[in-house]
Amino acid sequence: MREAATRSLDQSLVNWLEQRIIRKFLAESRLVGESLLDVPCGYGRFWGTFADFDLRLVGIDRDPEMIQKAACSPDRNGHSHPLCGSVFALPFEDDSFDCVTCIRLLHLRFSDLERLSILRELTRVSRRFVIISIYQPTPLHGLWRHFKGTPDRLRFTTSKQLSDLLLESGLELRSSRPLQRGLHMQTFLLLTKATQAAV
């Protein structure tokens, strides 16, 4: 299934780079056979990678159409479950998953309070790790988006803003990987719950 995220040549490259980073983070965290929440899961774009690590996977998305597509994804393993729900109120108890991923969401134009609310909810349901992506200013990518006519759809995160958000949400940075250093704004972060980082 070729969705918008992988339709064009440049987006196919971005998707390949994203998959590679996620794979490295999962290997670094030794998350083989563990539980993972993917939110928003979309149509299950990362599920093939998750299946390679034999993860017990639950996907959440607010769009019922995306959930239906995820349920039919050929990349589902025997224990992958897509559900409809909101990232602001995840329907799980505290510490339900070994890892929670949240890719291509926090760069949207949420308020500071909304972004903090999202991060706190991700932290709440995670036992150990949280993997997110954010957008940080990169001149070449900014120029490219300007010429494409999409300069105002993103919400950048400065280093200071990131530090404040992580502190207030109870997360600590373990590893950081830019998608393409100096060329693309997207940066992936492997985060640890503060209580786990101290162990």
Side-chain angles (χ1 to χ4, degrees):
M1 183 188 306
R2 291 185 63 82
E3 297 287 343
T6 59
R7 187 176 299 152
S8 64
L9 182 60
D10 64 321
Q11 285 302 303
S12 293
L13 174 61
V14 167
N15 178 65
W16 181 80
L17 292 169
E18 289 175 327
Q19 300 282 352
R20 186 174 67 168
I21 292 172
I22 291 295
R23 186 176 296 275
K24 287 181 178 179
F25 277 173
L26 293 176
E28 181 180 335
S29 305
R30 300 181 181 179
L31 285 168
V32 177
E34 304 288 356
S35 58
L36 183 143
L37 173 67
D38 182 25
V39 55
C41 66
Y43 60 89
R45 185 163 61 94
F46 291 102
W47 287 16
T49 294
F50 297 151
D52 289 343
F53 287 81
D54 196 30
L55 294 169
R56 301 189 306 276
L57 173 67
V58 175
I60 290 278
D61 202 286
R62 69 176 185 177
D63 186 343
E65 184 178 348
M66 287 291 116
I67 291 300
Q68 184 176 10
K69 290 179 179 179
C72 298
S73 170
D75 290 327
R76 285 187 69 196
N77 57 23
H79 33 250
S80 300
H81 305 284
L83 303 171
C84 199
S86 169
V87 69
F88 292 101
L90 295 170
F92 307 106
E93 295 181 357
D94 296 356
D95 303 321
S96 291
F97 300 92
D98 293 291
C99 182
V100 180
T101 60
C102 185
I103 310 303
R104 291 201 199 183
L105 180 69
L106 290 165
H107 70 283
L108 301 180
R109 298 190 69 81
F110 294 112
S111 68
D112 289 340
L113 189 59
E114 286 173 323
R115 292 202 296 173
L116 179 58
S117 178
I118 290 171
L119 283 173
R120 282 178 170 168
E121 192 67 352
L122 301 179
T123 304
R124 181 185 68 78
V125 301
S126 171
R127 276 194 294 272
R128 300 166 60 196
F129 300 105
V130 175
I131 297 173
I132 65 171
S133 71
I134 59 172
Y135 270 46
Q136 297 183 306
T138 302
L140 286 178
H141 192 191
L143 187 62
W144 169 249
R145 293 191 67 87
H146 175 77
F147 281 114
K148 285 178 65 177
T150 56
D152 299 323
R153 296 182 184 177
L154 305 178
R155 174 79 190 274
F156 303 123
T157 303
T158 66
S159 296
K160 177 62 166 59
Q161 288 171 333
L162 176 62
S163 178
D164 291 344
L165 283 169
L166 296 185
L167 179 63
E168 293 182 56
S169 58
L171 291 166
E172 294 186 1
L173 179 63
R174 175 166 175 169
S175 186
S176 172
R177 290 182 182 272
L179 188 77
Q180 290 177 296
R181 190 178 301 277
L183 298 177
H184 200 284
M185 298 179 189
Q186 192 175 21
T187 298
F188 284 74
L189 307 175
L190 173 59
L191 308 169
T192 308
K193 291 185 74 167
T195 53
Q196 289 293 325
V199 174

